[in-house]
């Protein structure tokens, strides 16, 4: 038992995980300066990563803005509820997307879910890697699992999206209903 605890402590140190020996009431991982939080008091006991500098739609898409370009994907919360993703329907480069309108779909072993654009604009790039590796949506929803990049038409639409704290609270309330 002591050797397992020592191994776990070393592994946690290597991964920069803080472990409380009083239980797992709260664990935080620092990964590339982004905080992921596990709340052991939650009903499902799963990881739900929320990144501070992103914007979030209530339909569970995230937006990362760089200049006039928005990178869009589905949230960790969404991919967790979907299960293993087996197919991602990508929009066409050059297509026009509108805030709140569907632009594609994500198919998992559990269900198929439409994906909605959190901003309006023109699609300037899609993540072709998802055609061969749709599981990137599960393993790296905020990095390698992005779906499209959009040239933003109306930056004021970003104000209608949630910040990380509001989105995390929204997810907690939504999960409590089910």
């Amino acid at each position: 038992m002591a050797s397992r605890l020592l191994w776990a402590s070393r592994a946690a140190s290597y991964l920069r995980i803080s472990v409380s020996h009083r239980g797992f009431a709260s664990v935080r991982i620092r990964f590339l300066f982004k905080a992921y939080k596990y709340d052991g008091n939650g009903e499902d006991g799963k990881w739900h990563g929320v990144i501070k500098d992103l914007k979030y739609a209530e339909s569970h898409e995230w937006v990362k803005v760089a200049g006039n370009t928005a990178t869009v994907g589905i949230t960790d919360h969404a991919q967790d509820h979907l299960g293993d993703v087996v197919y991602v329907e990508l929009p066409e480069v050059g297509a026009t997307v509108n805030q709140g309108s569907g632009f594609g779909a994500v198919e998992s072993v559990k269900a198929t879910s439409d994906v909605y654009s959190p901003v309006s604009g023109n699609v300037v790039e899609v993540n072709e890697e998802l055609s061969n590796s749709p599981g990137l949506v599960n393993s790296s929803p905020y990095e390698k699992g992005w779906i499209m990049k959009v040239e933003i038409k109306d930056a004021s639409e970003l104000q209608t999206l949630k910040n990380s704290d509001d989105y995390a609270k929204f997810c907690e309330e939504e999960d409590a209903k089910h």
Side-chain angles (χ1 to χ4, degrees), residues 109-131:
V109 295
K110 291 182 182 178
T112 298
S113 180
D114 290 333
V115 184
Y116 301 94
S117 184
V119 294
S120 299
N122 293 318
V123 178
V124 295
E125 186 178 350
V126 296
N127 188 353
E128 295 289 348
E129 196 171 347
L130 295 178
S131 297

Side-chain angles (χ1 to χ4, degrees), residues 64-139:
K64 179 180 181 181
V65 178
N68 197 36
T69 303
T71 302
V72 175
I74 67 168
T75 65
D76 185 50
H77 185 268
Q79 70 78 25
D80 181 64
H81 284 280
L82 281 170
D84 293 336
V85 174
V86 296
Y87 176 74
V88 179
E89 178 186 345
L90 299 170
E92 295 289 324
V93 172
T96 299
V97 292
N98 294 307
Q99 186 179 45
S101 296
F103 68 82
V106 175
E107 183 178 330
S108 74
V109 295
K110 291 182 182 178
T112 298
S113 180
D114 290 333
V115 184
Y116 301 94
S117 184
V119 294
S120 299
N122 293 318
V123 178
V124 295
E125 186 178 350
V126 296
N127 188 353
E128 295 289 348
E129 196 171 347
L130 295 178
S131 297
N132 295 325
S133 301
L136 290 172
V137 170
N138 296 113
S139 63

Side-chain angles (χ1 to χ4, degrees), residues 17 22 26 44 53 114 137 162-163:
I17 301 173
R22 295 174 290 160
S26 181
D44 63 359
D53 296 330
D114 290 333
V137 170
K162 296 185 177 302
N163 65 32

Side-chain angles (χ1 to χ4, degrees), residues 38-59:
Y38 168 73
D39 181 0
N41 298 325
E43 289 181 25
D44 63 359
K46 304 263 185 189
W47 290 91
H48 295 291
V50 177
I51 297 179
K52 190 169 184 73
D53 296 330
L54 302 182
K55 295 285 195 175
Y56 299 88
E58 287 186 2
S59 52

